[in-house]
Amino acid sequence: MSSLSQMITQYCSQECQKIHWLGHKPICQHTRAEKEKVSASYALSPDENIVKNLRKFTSAHTAILGWAGFQALQLKRVPSNIRQSALLIQLTPRNHPQSHCRFSITSTHIVNPRKHIRDPLVLNDIREREERCRRNGGIGTLVIILQCNDISQVMPVEVDPPSKITWDTREDWLEVLHHFVDSGRTDFKPISTTQRGVYYG
């Protein structure tokens, strides 16, 4: 027989273990507490878990998120919206084994990105992308902010000039976004109508 929490102290029988328990109990409890401290130090805090899961979620849903931002800001009709607006997607965590299903959409808002992004490194990255995009003839960098509690993930998307964008304008973008996120689908392809016909992707 051995002590369950330590698996170190050996006993010849349960009877001997019970007799020794009063003296062994404080040692056993201390060892268990120390093991829990060590385990806890390696475990991620709830905020660290949200950050990690938010990155994975954003990566898995990049196509639908970029498309939704494009539709929400109506960039095909009003390309200048890219300069003063961003799409804020507020999320709620949900318990799911797959990282791309660990959030559900609570609400969406069109916001001023300058009021929501304060990290100088993120702002600098957006600025650099903006400059590169404009040099290459694009309209700028679309900013999508995913927020869960007090934690945000910023997703900058460089947008081509409107003449190169063949995506159809969709008024039902929010329903489409909800459908793909809620169902855990990561296979989104936007619909484009061209002179050659309709295609996906």
Side-chain angles (χ1 to χ4, degrees), residues 149-160:
N149 302 331
D150 293 332
I151 298 166
S152 297
Q153 173 76 35
V154 177
M155 180 181 147
V157 180
E158 295 175 38
V159 181
D160 289 333

Side-chain angles (χ1 to χ4, degrees), residues 2-199:
S2 64
S3 168
L4 290 177
S5 67
Q6 290 189 66
M7 301 300 277
I8 294 171
T9 307
Q10 298 290 322
Y11 296 97
C12 60
S13 68
Q14 277 188 327
E15 206 170 296
C16 284
Q17 186 177 9
K18 286 178 187 176
I19 293 168
H20 189 248
W21 178 242
L22 285 176
H24 179 71
K25 183 178 177 182
I27 297 166
C28 199
Q29 287 176 332
H30 174 75
T31 303
R32 179 182 288 154
E34 290 301 309
K35 284 170 81 174
E36 286 172 1
K37 280 184 199 173
V38 170
S39 295
S41 70
Y42 287 107
L44 294 174
S45 72
D47 283 353
E48 288 173 316
N49 267 328
I50 289 176
V51 168
K52 183 180 88 172
N53 289 331
L54 206 47
R55 282 191 190 120
K56 289 181 178 181
F57 176 87
T58 304
S59 178
H61 292 290
T62 297
I64 184 75
L65 293 170
W67 176 85
F70 180 85
Q71 299 295 344
L73 270 59
Q74 301 179 348
L75 295 181
K76 193 162 189 170
R77 284 182 276 194
V78 191
S80 61
N81 283 348
I82 205 166
R83 292 186 188 94
Q84 66 263 0
S85 300
L87 175 61
L88 170 65
I89 302 173
Q90 293 181 312
L91 303 169
T92 302
R94 62 180 177 175
N95 194 10
H96 199 281
Q98 295 178 315
S99 58
H100 63 278
C101 298
R102 289 194 180 139
F103 297 96
S104 57
I105 298 169
T106 308
S107 61
T108 60
H109 308 278
I110 305 299
V111 298
N112 181 337
R114 290 173 199 86
K115 292 184 178 178
H116 287 270
I117 304 170
R118 293 182 181 86
D119 185 327
L121 292 174
V122 174
L123 290 168
N124 190 51
D125 179 53
I126 292 169
R127 201 173 303 113
E128 287 176 3
R129 288 171 182 265
E130 183 84 19
E131 290 169 6
R132 180 176 59 226
C133 184
R134 298 240 171 133
R135 274 195 311 270
N136 294 328
I139 62 171
T141 301
L142 164 64
V143 176
I144 299 153
I145 305 164
L146 294 106
Q147 186 170 351
C148 181
N149 302 331
D150 293 332
I151 298 166
S152 297
Q153 173 76 35
V154 177
M155 180 181 147
V157 180
E158 295 175 38
V159 181
D160 289 333
S163 61
K164 288 188 177 179
I165 298 169
T166 57
W167 293 349
D168 291 350
T169 299
R170 297 283 298 263
E171 298 299 326
D172 64 342
W173 64 268
L174 185 54
E175 290 84 12
V176 174
L177 177 62
H178 270 283
H179 169 74
F180 275 85
V181 169
D182 293 344
S183 64
R185 290 182 55 191
T186 57
D187 60 343
F188 174 79
K189 292 183 193 275
I191 299 171
S192 298
T193 305
T194 66
Q195 292 177 342
R196 293 186 221 153
V198 175
Y199 69 94

